[in-house]
Amino acid sequence: MKECMRLHPPSQVASRINSMSNEVVSGIRIPKGTITVVGTEAVHRHPGNWRDPDSFNPGRFRSRPKPFTFFPFTAGPRICLGRHFAVMEIKILISNLYRRFTFSDANPDLNSLEKRTCLTSKPKNGVFVKVA
């Protein structure tokens, strides 16, 4: 599930207001009160953070990732309060569905999935699945 959230994070951006005066990050001065925005998916797919970042490899989470390279629910003191509930809910839902049904791709010839992105992302034209 972590690898799915790395490739398709539920939260697309993390933003913070700089409360420090004259903060310097990577040689860039950030004045107090500046709003900074980080693209979650850009960090999750950055080749400096992940080997072969666009491939699906759940095994990459056998070891703990470097700090602030994986934050699907943002991070720090303003991390999503519902993250534990969301993860537990999806595990219960998926395990119950997979015990009762068989799923297959309704469009096996379709190789890509277009996303519609705002604060969260979702499939632009939906996802079609055969359920038996």
Side-chain angles (χ1 to χ4, degrees):
M1 193 168 73
K2 287 182 179 178
E3 181 67 350
C4 290
M5 288 193 298
R6 185 189 69 81
L7 291 171
H8 306 286
S11 174
Q12 291 298 298
V13 295
S15 63
R16 299 291 184 264
I17 298 173
N18 181 24
S19 61
M20 310 289 285
S21 60
N22 296 323
E23 186 76 15
V24 177
V25 177
S26 298
I28 300 170
R29 186 180 157 276
I30 303 174
K32 183 176 181 172
T34 300
I35 298 172
T36 56
V37 179
V38 176
T40 311
E41 189 170 355
V43 174
H44 286 187
R45 290 180 182 243
H46 193 282
N49 297 332
W50 305 95
R51 182 179 296 134
D52 198 13
D54 291 326
S55 69
F56 181 77
N57 177 11
R60 72 174 86 233
F61 285 94
R62 288 188 188 120
S63 60
R64 191 179 199 112
K66 293 183 283 185
F68 300 105
T69 58
F70 176 68
F71 49 95
F73 297 102
T74 73
R78 299 214 177 9
I79 194 166
C80 176
L81 293 174
R83 70 191 182 282
H84 295 298
F85 176 74
V87 169
M88 181 177 53
E89 183 179 39
I90 195 69
K91 285 179 180 179
I92 291 169
L93 177 69
I94 288 174
S95 65
N96 281 317
L97 288 173
Y98 271 94
R99 277 189 288 165
R100 294 186 176 115
F101 303 102
T102 301
F103 297 88
S104 62
D105 189 350
N107 295 318
D109 297 330
L110 186 64
N111 292 328
S112 65
L113 181 67
E114 289 184 63
K115 286 195 267 187
R116 190 177 96 193
T117 302
C118 289
L119 289 176
T120 60
S121 67
K122 65 181 184 178
K124 183 176 180 181
N125 299 310
V127 174
F128 298 94
V129 178
K130 289 181 186 177
V131 180

